[in-house]
Amino acid sequence: MSSLEPTTYKIEITGTVQGVGFRPFIYKLAQTYALEGSVSNDGSGVEIELCTTHAVLELFIEDIKTKAPPLSEIREICFSKIAPKIFRGFSIIQSDESGLKTTLIPPDISICSACEAELFDPHNRRYLYPFITCTNCGVRYSIIKTLPYDRQHTSMAKFRMCKACEKEYKDPMDRRYHAQPIGCYACGPTLSMDLEKVALLIKEGAIVAIKGVGGYHLVCDATNDSAVLKLRTRKKRPTKPYAVMVRDIDEASKLAHINAQEQKLLNSKERPIVLLKTKENDLLSKHVAPHITKIGLFLPYTPIHLLLLERLQRPMVATSANITDEPICTDIESLEKLEGIYDYVVDHDREIINGCDDSVLTVVAGQTLMLRRARGFAPASVKLPFSLQKNVLALGANQKSTIAIGFDKEVILSPHIGDLDTLGSVRYFAQNIETLQRVYDFTPEVVVHDKHPDYESTKYAKMHYQKSYAVQHHYAHILGVMAEKQITEKVLGVAFDGTGYGDDGTLWGGEFLVCDYLGYERVFHLKPFKLLGGAKAIKEPKRVALSLLFDLYGKEALTLKNPTTNAFSQVERKVHFVAWQKGLNTPLSSSMGRLFDAVASLTGVCQTMSFEGESGMLLEELYDPEITQRYSLHYQEGEIDFLEMIEALLAEKELHVGVSKFFNTIVEMIVHVASVYDLPLVVSGGVFQNSVLMGLVMQRVPQVIFSTTIPPNDGGIALGQVVFAQSVKR
Ligand code: ZN
Ligand code: ZN
Ligand code: FE
């Protein structure tokens, strides 16, 4: 058949192609070619049928690739000949709800510039309307009940469009054609309080809970000492830094040093929180991020935030409304648990179906690192370097929980769920499993979980599934990076984190694993030490340090004078010594996170932590790049003995010298073990959130491989677990 002969073709497009204005884009494009045919959404993406010549078809597809709408992400376009059909004009047809649902859910994104312009245009009918949105911006994931992404499948279903909105919605040439969250003063969601008034209250020092995209924020004036302190006292959060939302880049650069890459992140359509180096001035209350020269800033991403900041004319603390490390509150009932923390609530009537925290990113040595993957980025999709044989459900770890489902070559990772320490968070965890299964019409054939028998995720697996498989925590950390970076060869994995259940029942966390997709060998690890008081040692660095002093000096440690021993009474020291000697509630650990804690205690930087990672953050502050010396370590039969380093550290006169040499020593440890194995080096685990450590490793080993789009902490575990399922023998 000649290529000039008209034929009926079907074009199938996969990727993020729903809820991003793809069908109207195709419609308009078809008009320019005067094509006849149709376009529709189905469970796996967008489907086009048309009648044309092969030559035109190729041009048309080329145009689709190059001119696709800004928020879309085409993964694959394929076409095939189908039985001849007669079309009249070009039409957009109703969604087909059958078939496998594999299309990617579009994430929630920030307000676009066109909507922002309309928002502040007194002649626009949506002037100052706090829910203005269009096809190119606004909520998606947070309002979706199921795919395909159509209004009746979202929490907008209950709002009946007015005539004016309906006209825009139905006009393929309009910017709001099929913009599912479309609405206006006459027909859309409404805010429970006037933003003018809210701004006044905040200026007066009030703490206001404001419903946003994926949940409520607790908001207060970031320049007001007593307001921020009040929030700290009420939230029982003494020192953990708060994120601050600012009107624009100009405001942001008054508060922090921002390079081009960081500016791009701040301004991106995902609008994450970006960790930045604080500028030395007193524009912000010193209580926002005490003792730390870093600040998490983000720009407004909804019309509500924009309007509020416009009235406030100052930066505001905007922290997730939740009980520490629990899931974000998404409805007024869950918010009630926080009663007494906020003074006022600004509510709205667009239901949040899927909760979603703010994402957190940082830039280290020119590399973007994802610390919390949530709004704007979630649900994440990762393409595997191989096809999964079965449908896999991975339940993740226990802290910074995320879950994942895997099918074919695809892994869908849930947003950050939180720590599974309360009934509420476990319920939310179960809800996330349900959501992913419903949205993707997914039934698991293999269930995987962490090896730790006491993790809530493990208990959930045991309770809900007949058969499930356990994956060693640190192996999962490394597998996650391998999957994200599509690495199929053998690697040397360095997993440094707080704790993870080891094969021998002890708590691992300073691990060197030679591994591939089939298994791993633990080749080196920190020499285990006792955690005085078990879990208590996780929050009290002084306990870890005291244990190391016992290792070094035995009973003589009781009479030593240093920041660690000084943090205990004589009696306490003796009690701990007896426990240490007899091994009472003193589990063994090889955790690098705990070693960081010990160093923070021995140097007097931190004895008791009020939030996870505090010791590492405080140590970062003391690092001096001018100091290049390090301590020596001893490698013996797979164990890394660091006690000599502890002894030398104690003798150090200057704080920053000891801390800097410690960092250098850890980097050298990685370099040394890497030199033994001629393998690609992969690093992962929560300790690598430390930007000083990560920066130094990148400097010393430029080819080091690490996660950039998935968090290095336990938020990345579920992805690694999916990959593990591949090696499960059935
Ligand atoms: Zn818009
Ligand atoms: Zn309307
Ligand atoms: Fe971990």
Side-chain angles (χ1 to χ4, degrees), residues 329 331-340 342:
C329 300
D331 54 35
I332 200 76
E333 288 77 36
S334 59
L335 190 68
E336 268 163 17
K337 283 190 293 187
L338 302 186
E339 226 169 23
Y342 52 85

Side-chain angles (χ1 to χ4, degrees), residues 34 50 72 168 199 212 251 295 372 512 520 577 645 681 694:
L50 44 78
S72 65
E168 295 168 330
E251 290 300 310
I295 179 99
R372 187 205 282 157
F512 291 86
Y520 69 95
F577 183 69
M645 169 181 80
L681 180 71
M694 200 59 225

Side-chain angles (χ1 to χ4, degrees), residues 277 294 362-365 369 596 616-625 659-660 662-664 667 687-700:
K277 184 93 187 135
K294 274 189 189 171
T362 187
V363 177
V364 176
L369 302 181
F596 268 74
M617 268 193 194
L618 294 169
L619 289 176
E620 272 187 49
E621 295 287 324
L622 292 164
Y623 184 75
D624 179 352
V659 170
S660 307
F662 166 68
F663 273 106
N664 297 340
V667 176
V687 170
F688 288 103
Q689 293 175 100
N690 188 298
S691 58
V692 167
L693 177 68
M694 200 59 225
L696 288 170
V697 173
M698 286 185 214
Q699 222 172 50
R700 282 296 301 279

Side-chain angles (χ1 to χ4, degrees), residues 474-620:
H474 302 98
Y475 181 38
H477 266 307
I478 303 302
L479 284 177
V481 185
M482 290 171 70
E484 182 198 333
K485 298 298 171 195
Q486 303 236 322
I487 297 165
T488 49
E489 71 229 88
K490 208 181 248 294
V491 302
L492 174 66
V494 184
F496 287 172
D497 69 355
T499 41
Y501 196 79
D503 289 336
D504 55 5
T506 70
L507 299 168
W508 292 7
E511 312 304 315
F512 291 86
L513 312 172
V514 167
C515 50
D516 57 22
Y517 289 131
L518 296 175
Y520 69 95
E521 188 195 345
R522 187 191 194 202
V523 291
F524 273 101
H525 58 90
L526 288 185
K527 188 173 178 180
F529 43 91
K530 291 175 177 172
L531 298 178
L532 301 176
K536 272 195 186 138
I538 292 171
K539 288 197 169 147
E540 297 181 25
K542 60 183 182 182
R543 287 173 182 260
V544 186
L546 186 63
S547 168
L548 296 179
L549 292 178
F550 290 150
D551 279 338
L552 267 170
Y553 306 110
K555 201 168 182 167
E556 277 165 45
L558 295 175
T559 52
L560 290 176
K561 283 260 168 291
N562 58 53
T564 299
T565 49
N566 293 346
F568 292 96
S569 70
Q570 277 294 349
V571 178
E572 282 171 331
R573 280 179 232 174
K574 276 185 192 140
V575 170
H576 285 308
F577 183 69
V578 173
W580 176 83
Q581 225 175 5
K582 297 191 172 163
L584 303 171
N585 193 19
T586 52
L588 282 172
S589 174
S590 57
S591 158
M592 181 58 80
R594 295 293 88 77
L595 180 55
F596 268 74
D597 290 352
V599 170
S601 165
L602 292 163
T603 50
V605 170
C606 179
Q607 302 301 346
T608 304
M609 295 200 285
S610 77
F611 63 93
E612 195 221 20
E614 186 172 15
S615 65
M617 268 193 194
L618 294 169
L619 289 176
E620 272 187 49

Side-chain angles (χ1 to χ4, degrees), residues 162 165 184 187:
C162 70
C165 283
C184 69
C187 70

Side-chain angles (χ1 to χ4, degrees), residues 105-106 140-149 153-155 353-354 435 438-439:
I105 309 181
R140 300 283 188 278
Y141 171 73
S142 60
I143 62 162
I144 293 179
K145 287 183 182 141
T146 178
L147 288 178
Y149 176 57
H153 295 146
T154 71
S155 56
I353 305 292
N354 305 306
T435 302
R438 183 187 62 239
V439 168

Side-chain angles (χ1 to χ4, degrees), residues 252-271:
S253 41
K254 286 178 193 159
L255 305 177
H257 300 275
I258 303 171
N259 65 29
Q261 197 179 353
E262 291 160 338
Q263 177 165 341
K264 216 172 135 194
L265 282 176
L266 283 167
N267 265 327
S268 67
K269 62 185 194 301
E270 292 88 3
R271 297 273 159 106

